[in-house]
Amino acid sequence: MNAPAHAPTLRKLLDLAWPIIISRSAQTVIGFCDAAMVARLGEDALAATTAGALNVYAVFILPMGISSIVASFVSQLHGRGDHTGARRYGFYGLIVAALAQILCLGVMLAAPYFFAQLEFTPAVRTLLVQYSVVRLWSGGAAIGLEALANYYGGLGNTRLPMAAQVLAMVLNVVLCWVFIYGNLGAPALGVAGSALAGTIATCIAFVALLGCFLAGYGVEKAPRSPLRGSELWRVLRYGLPAGLNWFVEFSAFNFFINVVIAGLGTTTVAALMAAMQVNSIAFMPAFGIASAGAILVGHALGAKEQGAVPPTVWLTMRVAGGWMGLIGLIYLLFSHFVMLPFAPPGPERAAFLAISAKVLGLSIAWQLVDAAALTFAESLRAAGDTSFPMWARVVIAWLVFVPGSYVSVRMYDGGMNMAVFWLVAYMGLLALVLWLRFRSGVWRSLDLAGSSEMPPI
């Protein structure tokens, strides 16, 4: 008997994963460099830039999550050999990006009112509004870049989106140097300059990848066909729960930062957010591995090789968990050294380093369980199981994590230790629930791409 064509191997997983890892890492390097560059301007600028990036991402994350379902459709259609149908889903992702830009324009108008309700200092609030308004102009481009990355990723071509993200990273770093400090004759815009650099870099990278997509570069040749309203509806039907998956979790975390942590003081906020920036870079390889595993799951399901799915998921989780274990060891040995680039000048420097190094060390626990939760969530998403993970996140995030952390930290002065405890508890409980869902085998009965609508190969 021949081995299944989509049987998982470490080589297949890593061949798909390493460009995704570089792409995702490039995104986080942008945030890392922004934070490191504005740190020279003081802790108000650092707190505003990092918190501003977090809040802007909270706006992006719903349409970004919706566009993630494009990879699920494309990977299954590709597994069945329907390249014409797969291309249509790339255009549906671009429609989601256009709708996202309209959303961003509305949020820009509400930004001053929103930040006025939070417990940041007046100086930080002013900078937060400046950063957010400028950065939101690139919302459609950011989602479009994500949608096309999901399209190409579903085909198994993860290198072209990688090139676009690396382009964005390089442009952002150079333009930050220009606009934050006022080099090459440009005005010194400070925090707003950081946002302007990110906006320009994102738009240029999106236009480059869009040109490749429209020209048919990097895909298998296939006849083109008109878009179908029924398929766009399927994208929204399955994509909205996927987007809410991301949004619910991120909004809970945003509440955690803006309400639970903000009251602990500017130094604590800046230290926590800087530690999160470091964490995000270390986390992205695990995210890339999980995304690559989901692509393999989609290919197997599209080819009707369901038996290849569980081995793929367990291989993915072992690799992602191994990476997180290695990062944890580095944190244990070098956490203080890792945080030095973010340390602002002045009397707060020592306190900043002490808090941020401690958070980095404690983060090891939640990263390990987060790798497991992410692997199961991505695999279920690839199969079209998006509603259950959404409700799991709603319940655990908003009925357990948010009230637990608020009561412990704000009402009973639990401090940073209790804050980190609730992060670990949330990730651990979510990983357990998603594992039980995967183990139930519900994903075997789902028909995401609508096999009945597709011609036999």
Side-chain angles (χ1 to χ4, degrees), residues 11-366:
R11 180 172 181 176
K12 283 183 183 179
L13 180 67
L14 295 182
D15 279 349
L16 281 174
W18 73 261
I20 303 176
I21 291 170
I22 292 177
S23 297
R24 296 298 182 184
S25 298
Q27 293 173 355
T28 56
V29 165
I30 290 173
F32 183 96
C33 291
D34 288 357
M37 289 186 181
V38 300
R40 289 171 48 183
L41 306 179
E43 68 175 16
D44 282 351
L46 178 60
T49 300
T50 51
L54 187 73
N55 282 281
V56 168
Y57 191 69
V59 178
F60 291 176
I61 199 165
L62 177 60
M64 190 176 291
I66 294 174
S67 73
S68 72
I69 203 67
V70 170
S72 303
F73 282 103
V74 173
S75 63
Q76 291 200 24
L77 290 167
H78 177 74
R80 296 174 183 177
D82 185 2
H83 306 301
T84 299
R87 181 173 174 81
R88 291 197 299 270
Y89 281 88
F91 282 104
Y92 302 143
L94 293 175
I95 292 174
V96 172
L99 295 174
Q101 186 58 64
I102 297 173
L103 169 66
C104 288
L105 294 176
V107 174
M108 287 166 58
L109 298 176
Y113 174 79
F114 171 75
F115 288 117
Q117 312 308 309
L118 304 180
E119 293 187 51
F120 294 107
T121 64
V124 172
R125 278 202 299 269
T126 299
L127 294 173
L128 272 169
V129 173
Q130 293 176 6
Y131 180 94
S132 301
V133 169
V134 174
R135 197 70 180 89
L136 286 166
W137 280 108
S138 64
I143 306 309
L145 198 57
E146 186 75 16
L148 292 179
N150 283 308
Y151 166 73
Y152 279 107
L155 297 176
N157 181 351
T158 53
R159 300 187 183 190
L160 191 58
M162 174 195 71
Q165 290 293 350
V166 170
L167 173 63
M169 178 189 70
V170 172
L171 287 173
N172 183 84
V173 172
V174 173
L175 292 174
C176 273
W177 176 76
V178 171
F179 291 122
I180 291 175
Y181 307 131
N183 290 306
L184 300 181
L189 300 177
V191 170
S194 171
L196 181 61
T199 294
I200 295 174
T202 300
C203 290
I204 292 175
F206 168 64
V207 169
L209 191 57
L210 178 63
C212 293
F213 172 73
L214 294 177
Y217 179 75
V219 301
E220 296 186 43
K221 299 297 182 182
R224 300 189 179 186
S225 64
L227 303 184
R228 303 173 182 177
S230 61
E231 290 179 338
L232 177 59
W233 168 247
R234 289 180 76 87
V235 169
L236 297 176
R237 173 189 167 190
Y238 288 98
L240 185 58
L244 288 173
N245 261 308
W246 293 18
F247 178 77
V248 164
E249 182 173 80
F250 198 82
S251 60
F253 183 70
N254 219 25
F255 178 91
F256 178 74
I257 297 298
N258 289 328
V259 178
V260 177
I261 300 299
L264 299 180
T266 300
T267 300
T268 299
V269 173
L272 177 65
M273 295 309 301
M276 290 297 180
Q277 288 291 349
V278 174
N279 249 330
S280 64
I281 294 178
F283 169 75
M284 282 307 167
F287 187 72
I289 292 165
S291 298
I295 292 171
L296 294 178
V297 167
H299 289 172
L301 290 173
K304 302 299 183 184
E305 294 182 8
Q306 294 183 336
V309 171
T312 300
V313 173
W314 293 114
L315 173 64
T316 302
M317 192 168 67
R318 289 197 302 271
V319 176
W323 166 259
M324 285 304 193
L326 175 62
I327 291 300
L329 180 61
I330 294 173
Y331 285 174
L332 283 176
L333 297 175
F334 306 110
S335 59
H336 188 87
F337 176 79
V338 169
M339 298 310 304
L340 279 175
F342 296 94
E348 301 87 3
R349 182 181 178 88
F352 173 91
L353 285 172
I355 296 171
S356 59
K358 181 179 181 180
V359 172
L360 203 61
L362 292 172
S363 71
I364 298 169
W366 87 63

Side-chain angles (χ1 to χ4, degrees), residues 245 248 387-397 426 430 433-434:
N245 261 308
V248 164
S387 294
F388 179 88
M390 176 195 73
W391 287 111
R393 282 188 166 92
V394 168
V395 172
I396 299 172
Y426 169 69
L430 180 63
V433 170
L434 294 181

